[in-house]
Amino acid sequence: MPRNGRRRTHNKKAIAIQAMMDLESTMLGNQDTTILNSASSLILRIGKKHGIRKSGYLGLTICRKCKKALIPGRNSRLRIRSKSLKISCSECMSVRTLGPSFGRD
Ligand SMILES: [Zn+2]
């Protein structure tokens, strides 16, 4: 493979972010638990590799403990309390709090 000197290091992170967004939309449009869980582990892996920290809440989240995709009403419970979101995982019972500044950056 010839290397034509095009600098792409700058683009790598952007591609990774795009890939994460694509995975997220796949997850939102998918009901298959196997796909959901493999997509969530991919998102975590991409995020770790490129140092991308997700901010905000896009309708789904990933349990930090059991690494499963949390869909409200399916395997997680979502509570809103004083501008922060509390998401509890029904698989391992861990609770994650988002906010209060989510959605602002
Ligand atoms: Zn969990």
Side-chain angles (χ1 to χ4, degrees), residues 5-58:
R6 266 225 270 165
R7 280 216 260 155
R8 292 198 138 228
T9 34
H10 165 78
N11 274 337
K12 261 188 186 166
K13 197 164 182 174
I15 291 164
I17 289 166
Q18 187 59 52
M20 280 172 94
M21 276 157 58
D22 285 349
L23 282 167
E24 263 163 9
S25 58
T26 307
M27 284 164 83
L28 283 169
N30 219 295
Q31 302 290 308
D32 193 324
T33 323
T34 322
I35 293 169
L36 283 171
N37 289 334
S38 56
S40 58
S41 67
L42 268 172
I43 285 178
L44 288 175
R45 240 163 54 196
I46 295 168
K48 218 179 226 175
K49 194 177 174 188
H50 296 274
I52 302 160
R53 290 205 56 185
K54 288 232 313 100
S55 60
Y57 180 71
L58 298 159

